[in-house]
Amino acid sequence: TGTVREFQFTNPHSYIQLVVKSDDGSQQEWSLEMGGNVYLYNLGWRPSTVKAGDTLTVTIIPLRNGKPGALLIEAKTADGKMLKGKQ
């Protein structure tokens, strides 16, 4: 769970920059990769779906190298709306 810093609704890949607070209080920014905007549009995403400051709870496939990046599988908004990042 984290706070959106930026949502990039672009081609060939879209990204969400998510700031996550760890148990010790430090913050880490994760780069969450998704498909392109045409693909995401078919899944219900729009450029205004996620805005800076929004809270998201995400399901991801993290990078193998351990860096703070991942493929987004799905996201849940603060109001409970589920958004698929991939089919």
Side-chain angles (χ1 to χ4, degrees), residues 2 7 9 25 36-37 48-49 56 62 78:
F7 175 41
F9 194 69
N37 58 9
S48 62
T49 299
L56 291 179

Side-chain angles (χ1 to χ4, degrees), residues 17 20 32 43 56 60 64 67 71 86:
Q17 300 305 120
V20 179
L32 307 178
L43 293 175
L56 291 179
I60 60 170
R64 290 184 197 175
K67 292 185 179 179
L71 174 64
K86 112 182 216 89

Side-chain angles (χ1 to χ4, degrees), residues 55-67:
T55 299
L56 291 179
T57 300
V58 297
T59 303
I60 60 170
I61 299 173
L63 294 175
R64 290 184 197 175
N65 64 10
K67 292 185 179 179

